Every structure is written in structure tokens, then in C-alpha cells.
């Protein structure tokens, strides 16, 4: 990590060697963000379905230096990430044992993420994946209650699980994860996917996503081209960083939490509102090379500016498609309200969430003075891109709920990017799912099984 940060410091004009410092606040403030168009000749990537390499939200040098300082306090390596995933899987197993003890049915795949994301809202400095004893377990509590367990039974189980999580976290913190001579091995398979192996652990991704992440990494490191001609040392560092990134998101089993808008929606938002940065993304599904994401430690070297809750823009237009967890949505709304109140330039957020009208977050979004328009899209009329599209043959999924699109703007943004019926119709059309066309092209039934071609007679 130190070598990576040193090269990035040189690329941003701060060429002096980076020294270890105490962790600093991770809040990133942007006074006047501007849309930066990259020279199309500098990127080997063409405008593709999985990302747009030609647009980037600019940050000032002070904000970039704060990010570098924050990233210096992060430690991540393959051995550490493997151990972290083992703890997550052990906790997931204990959750399902608890549900069996409570006599309730099957829990959603996203139950661990709900617990983990909710816990992060209450404890500032803690492990990125393992809930802390002092954190809020209300997300887990609500999932177990919705499944039919009694309040007293759920309270007892949540306390037991939180205590066990703290025990595992403490043991994890006592281990010394020293990077040895073992290296991440990358293999190109017959279907052109890439398999990354470290010891007995393996992760994979498509060729297109491999190329995207390699270019994002090269840009962040200040390397020439798209990263396809890295020096051997840079290549090894990239492969290690990529393995950690993939394993981190593989630990989160709820693919729907990472689902994203399709490229046509992003293109409409870019054209009509100059919206070219996401508040909730990952290096795997980001549309642009600068974005907010949940994990600064693994995502920074691929362009992340860290958590949206530590991000303080004062102007610009941003897309927000948060994890569909009521408490996360509520926290997002509160943060956006503060930002719009303090903004000294045109500031807008285009927010995409399920139409959960009884939740506090949805009601705040709808009733706020900053809400200029609300676009309702029926469930069957739209879709998203798969949260784990980097390992799937298919990209599209039908939406699980009606979707609400809120256009939050201050007065200056209303003048800069007016919301018109024509723009809303363009966006609504872009939301249409292409799942049926995709499956037809691949010869897939709704069940996902390939349809046999008729034999010639």
C-alpha cells in the first residue's frame, strides 16, 4: 500500500515520499467540482456497457491529499482478506443456526449485509465487514422479526451474535497478517474469464471487468495507458489489490445490494443533468472513474473517494442508488439535507430507491423542500444490472419493487438543470429492462437453463 500511495503522490504533484502518520479524518469536501472530460485518445477502452472512461468528476488537490492520508492508515492484503471472509461466513452460519433455533423460515441472502451496513452507521472506526459489539444490531433484529420470531427471542439471539462477532473481531485483530513470498496467480480460462488464486482461495471475473479495473488502477497510480503494459512490480501490486477487492465483495452475498443502473440511464443523466458521479457504487459496477463506495481500504486504488457519509460536495450533480436498507436511506437523506443547506453552488442529487412509502426515508425524500420532482416507475416496467455481473453471463434483472426517482436540487441547481417532462420520459424509457432480450439472445429460459436449439431435419 505504501508503494502505491507514493506513486499516486508523485502523480498529483506531491512527490515527496509518504511517511506513516496518524489516521486523519476521512471527510472529503469539494468546493467547486467540475466535470472533467478525458481525452479519448488516452484510453484504450471505448465507451462500453460497463463503464464510461471519458468522464470524471474533478477533485481539488487538498481533497485528493486528504484521501491519500486517509488511505495510508488502511492495511489490506490477501491473507487478511481471506481470514476476514472466513469470519463473515462463520457469522452467517451462526445467523442461520439462530433462525433455526427461533423456529422461523428462510432468511434473505442479504441478512448479513443488513446487519453490517446498519452497524456501520453507529460505530465510526471499526472493521469494514465485522460488526463491533458497540454497534447497532437493529438491522439484524428487524430481519429476524420480519421472518416471524418473537421480540424477546430475537433480542436474546442478537445479543449473542453481537457478542460472538466481537470475540471473532478481537481475535482477528490479534493476528499478524504479514505479506510473505506467496503471490496472487492469474489464469485466463477457456471462456476468457480471469481466475485469481491465492493459496486455496479463488475469485473470478469477466475479461471486460478485468480490463476496466486494470485501467482504473493504472489511472489512480498515474501509469501510462490502460495498464496493459505495466511493469512487473506494478502488475503484482495490481493483482494483489484486485484479489482483495474481489474477495471483499464476494463476502457480501446479497447481489441485489450491489445492483446498478444500466448504461442508458447513466447516459440520460449525464446528458440532461451533467450527472457524472455516484454516491453509492463499487469499482465493479461504477460508471465513472471517481465514485463513493463502502470500502476505502480496498476501493481507493481503483478510484473510490470513500463513503458518501464522509463526502461533502458543495456543488455538482450526483446519482444516489443506496443499499435498500431503510436506516441507510434515512442516513443518506439526513446527510443530503445538510449538504444542500450548506451548498454555495448548484447542487443536485438524483436518488433511486424502492417505493417504500411507509418508511421514514421515503417520506422525508417526498416531503422535503429540496424535492423538485418524483418519478414513479412500476416494477414490471424496468430493471437493473446484476450486482454480480462481473461473474455472471447475464447482466440484466427485473426490478423487485416499484422504483421512486427523486430529484433533489437547491435553487441554483433548478436553474442549471431544470427537470422537464421530456427529460423524465427519456429516463423512464432508459430504465426499461432488457432481461427478456438478453435471455432470448443467449437461449435462456426464465429459469436460467439454456434452451436447446432445434435440430435440423
Amino acid at each position: 500500500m505504501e508503494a502505491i500511495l507514493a506513486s499516486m503522490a508523485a502523480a498529483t504533484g506531491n512527490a515527496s515520499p509518504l511517511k506513516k502518520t496518524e489516521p486523519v479524518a476521512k471527510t472529503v469536501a469539494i468546493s467547486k467540482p467540475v466535470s472533467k472530460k478525458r481525452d479519448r485518445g488516452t484510453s484504450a477502452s471505448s465507451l462500453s456497457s460497463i463503464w464510461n472512461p471519458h468522464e470524471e468528476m474533478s477533485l481539488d488537490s487538498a481533497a485528493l491529499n486528504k484521501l491519500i492520508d486517509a488511505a495510508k492508515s488502511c492495511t489490506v492484503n490477501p491473507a487478511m482478506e481471506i481470514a476476514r471472509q472466513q469470519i463473515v461466513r462463520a457469522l452467517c452460519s451462526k445467523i442461520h443456526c439462530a433462525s433455526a433455533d427461533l423456529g422461523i423460515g428462510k432468511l434473505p441472502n442479504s441478512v448479513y449485509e443488513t446487519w453490517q451496513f446498519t452497524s456501520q452507521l453507529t460505530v465510526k472506526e471499526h472493521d469494514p465487514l465485522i460488526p463491533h459489539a458497540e454497534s447497532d444490531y437493529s438491522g439484524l433484529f428487524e430481519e429476524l422479526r420480519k421472518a416471524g420470531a418473537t421480540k424477546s427471542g430475537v433480542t436474546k439471539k442478537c445479543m449473542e451474535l453481537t457478542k460472538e462477532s466481537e470475540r471473532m473481531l478481537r481475535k482477528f485483530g490479534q493476528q499478524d497478517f504479514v505479506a510473505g513470498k506467496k503471490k496472487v496467480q492469474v489464469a485466463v480460462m477457456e471462456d476468457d474469464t480471469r481466475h485469481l488464486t491465492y493459496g486455496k482461495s479463488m475469485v473470478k471475473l469477466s475479461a471486460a471487468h478485468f480490463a476496466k479495473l486494470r485501467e482504473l488502477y493504472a489511472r489512480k497510480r498515474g501509469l501510462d495507458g490502460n495498464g496493459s503494459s505495466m511493469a512487473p512490480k506494478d502488475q503484482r501490486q495490481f493483482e494483489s489489490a484486485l484479489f482483495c477487492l474481489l474477495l471483499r465483495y464476494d463476502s457480501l452475498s446479497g447481489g441485489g445490494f450491489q445492483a446498478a443502473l444500466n448504461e442508458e440511464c447513466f447516459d440520460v443523466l449525464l446528458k440532461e443533468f451533467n450527472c457524472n458521479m455516484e454516491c453509492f457504487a463499487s469499482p465493479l459496477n461504477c460508471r465513472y472513474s471517481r465514485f463513493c463506495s463502502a470500502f476505502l481500504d480496498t476501493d481507493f486504488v481503483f478510484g473510490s473517494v470513500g463513503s458518501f457519509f464522509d463526502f461533502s460536495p458543495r456543488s455538482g450533480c450526483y446519482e444516489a442508488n443506496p443499499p435498500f436498507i431503510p436506516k441507510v436511506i434515512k442516513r443518506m437523506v439526513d446527510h443530503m439535507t445538510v449538504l444542500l443547506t450548506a451548498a454555495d453552488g448548484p447542487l443536485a442529487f438524483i436518488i433511486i430507491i424502492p417505493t417504500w412509502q411507509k418508511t421514514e426515508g421515503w417520506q422525508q425524500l417526498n416531503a422535503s423542500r429540496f424535492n423538485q420532482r418524483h418519478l414513479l416507475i412500476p416494477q414490471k416496467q424496468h430493471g437493473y444490472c446484476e450486482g454480480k455481473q462481473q461473474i455472471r453471463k447475464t447482466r440484466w434483472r427485473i426490478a423487485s419493487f416499484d422504483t421512486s426517482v427523486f430529484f433533489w436540487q437547491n435553487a441554483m441547481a433548478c436553474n442549471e438543470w431544470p427537470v422537464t417532462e421530456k427529460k423524465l420520459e427519456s429516463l423512464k424509457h432508459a430504465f426499461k429492462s432488457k432481461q427478456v432480450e438478453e435471455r432470448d439472445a443467449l437461449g435462456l429460459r426464465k429459469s436460467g437453463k439454456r434452451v436447446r436449439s432445434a435440430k435440423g431435419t
Side-chain angles (χ1 to χ4, degrees):
M1 178 65 80
E2 289 296 323
I4 293 172
L5 293 170
S7 67
M8 285 190 286
T12 57
N14 181 16
S16 58
L18 291 171
K19 299 178 181 180
K20 289 189 176 181
T21 61
E22 293 299 315
V24 298
K26 299 179 183 178
T27 300
V28 178
I30 303 181
S31 55
K32 294 182 179 180
V34 295
S35 176
K36 178 180 178 182
K37 290 186 179 292
R38 287 182 173 267
D39 182 353
R40 292 177 183 267
T42 65
S43 172
S45 300
S46 60
L47 189 63
S48 72
S49 59
I50 63 171
W51 77 302
N52 180 343
H54 308 303
E55 293 283 339
E56 182 180 273
M57 180 72 78
S58 295
L59 299 183
D60 60 37
S61 58
L64 288 171
N65 287 334
K66 281 186 178 181
L67 282 171
I68 291 174
D69 286 342
K72 283 194 296 183
S73 66
C74 300
T75 301
V76 61
N77 61 53
M80 175 183 289
E81 209 56 40
I82 289 169
R84 181 177 279 122
Q85 185 182 72
Q86 290 171 347
I87 292 175
V88 170
R89 289 181 173 173
L91 288 171
C92 286
S93 178
K94 290 182 180 296
I95 290 173
H96 290 291
C97 288
S99 68
D101 291 343
L102 292 168
I104 56 180
K106 183 180 178 181
L107 294 169
N109 291 335
S110 58
V111 63
Y112 185 85
E113 288 93 313
T114 300
W115 180 21
Q116 183 259 344
F117 279 124
T118 304
S119 74
Q120 284 196 351
L121 299 179
T122 55
V123 179
K124 185 67 175 177
E125 297 296 336
H126 70 302
D127 189 86
L129 284 188
I130 307 169
H132 190 275
E134 297 177 3
S135 64
D136 182 3
Y137 60 68
S138 62
L140 176 61
F141 179 91
E142 290 167 5
E143 290 294 334
L144 293 172
R145 285 285 284 145
K146 282 192 293 185
T150 63
K151 183 177 180 179
S152 59
V154 170
T155 300
K156 180 180 178 181
K157 287 297 180 183
C158 284
M159 292 178 67
E160 290 175 357
L161 287 165
T162 302
K163 185 176 180 180
E164 181 64 12
S165 177
E166 171 65 14
R167 184 190 69 79
M168 291 183 174
L169 179 59
R170 187 166 55 251
K171 185 177 180 180
F172 175 79
Q174 293 170 351
Q175 298 181 62
D176 185 14
F177 299 102
V178 178
K181 295 182 179 180
K182 190 184 299 183
K183 296 180 177 63
V184 173
Q185 303 297 322
V186 181
V188 180
M189 312 308 289
E190 290 184 1
D191 61 357
D192 209 27
T193 59
R194 270 56 172 176
H195 287 199
L196 285 76
T197 305
Y198 185 88
K200 296 181 179 180
S201 297
M202 188 272 289
V203 287
K204 60 183 179 180
L205 77 167
S206 69
H209 282 86
F210 183 87
K212 169 192 173 180
L213 291 162
R214 183 178 60 194
E215 182 165 346
L216 286 172
Y217 181 87
R219 288 184 178 191
K220 195 67 178 179
R221 290 287 306 273
L223 304 176
D224 293 334
N226 65 355
S228 58
S229 301
M230 289 184 192
K233 182 179 179 181
D234 293 326
Q235 184 71 24
R236 289 194 298 272
Q237 291 176 345
F238 160 66
E239 290 167 354
S240 178
L242 180 58
F243 178 88
C244 293
L245 170 77
L246 294 173
L247 201 65
R248 173 67 58 83
Y249 283 92
D250 182 64
S251 298
L252 301 177
S253 57
F257 276 33
Q258 303 161 45
L261 296 189
N262 67 67
E263 58 273 16
E264 292 181 15
C265 287
F266 278 116
D267 290 346
V268 170
L269 297 181
L270 177 64
K271 176 184 176 182
E272 304 294 354
F273 301 95
N274 196 31
C275 180
N276 65 348
M277 184 168 170
E278 297 168 78
C279 300
F280 299 90
S282 77
L284 297 167
N285 67 16
C286 64
R287 180 64 177 169
Y288 306 107
S289 58
R290 188 159 283 151
F291 52 92
C292 294
S293 71
F295 308 116
L296 182 69
D297 58 344
T298 53
D299 301 358
F300 175 72
V301 292
F302 297 99
S304 173
V305 302
S307 170
F308 173 65
F309 301 121
D310 296 321
F311 183 62
S312 300
R314 300 177 68 178
S315 64
C317 184
Y318 304 85
E319 183 263 7
N321 180 23
F324 295 161
I325 302 173
K327 287 200 172 185
V328 175
I329 294 172
K330 171 68 168 62
R331 174 72 175 275
M332 174 196 73
V333 173
D334 292 342
H335 186 51
M336 288 178 175
T337 301
V338 171
L339 295 176
L340 283 162
T341 302
D344 54 9
L347 181 62
F349 295 100
I350 300 173
I351 305 147
I352 298 97
I353 64 167
T355 307
W356 292 341
Q357 297 185 13
K358 294 183 179 181
T359 61
E360 188 176 2
W362 190 95
Q363 292 173 358
Q364 282 185 266
L365 283 166
N366 192 53
S368 171
R369 64 187 175 92
F370 294 116
N371 181 30
Q372 306 304 322
R373 293 296 296 269
H374 169 221
L375 175 64
L376 175 64
I377 307 177
Q379 179 257 327
K380 292 184 179 180
Q381 295 181 16
H382 72 295
Y384 293 92
C385 291
E386 287 280 6
K388 295 189 176 182
Q389 58 180 288
Q390 75 276 5
I391 59 174
R392 296 181 184 272
K393 292 182 179 179
T394 58
R395 292 186 63 234
W396 291 88
R397 60 183 294 165
I398 297 293
S400 301
F401 313 94
D402 291 350
T403 286
S404 287
V405 183
F406 292 99
F407 293 81
W408 268 32
Q409 299 175 317
N410 63 7
M412 287 178 282
C414 289
N415 293 327
E416 186 81 14
W417 308 294
V419 184
T420 66
E421 290 297 331
K422 184 178 180 181
K423 293 178 182 180
L424 294 179
E425 282 302 314
S426 295
L427 182 59
K428 190 172 183 179
H429 179 75
F431 255 105
K432 182 181 177 182
S433 176
K434 295 180 176 60
Q435 185 188 58
V436 174
E437 293 90 333
E438 180 184 52
R439 288 186 175 278
D440 286 346
L442 294 172
L444 298 175
R445 293 194 184 99
K446 289 184 179 180
S447 64
K449 295 181 180 179
R450 185 173 295 278
V451 178
R452 294 182 181 177
S453 300
K455 294 181 179 179
T457 56

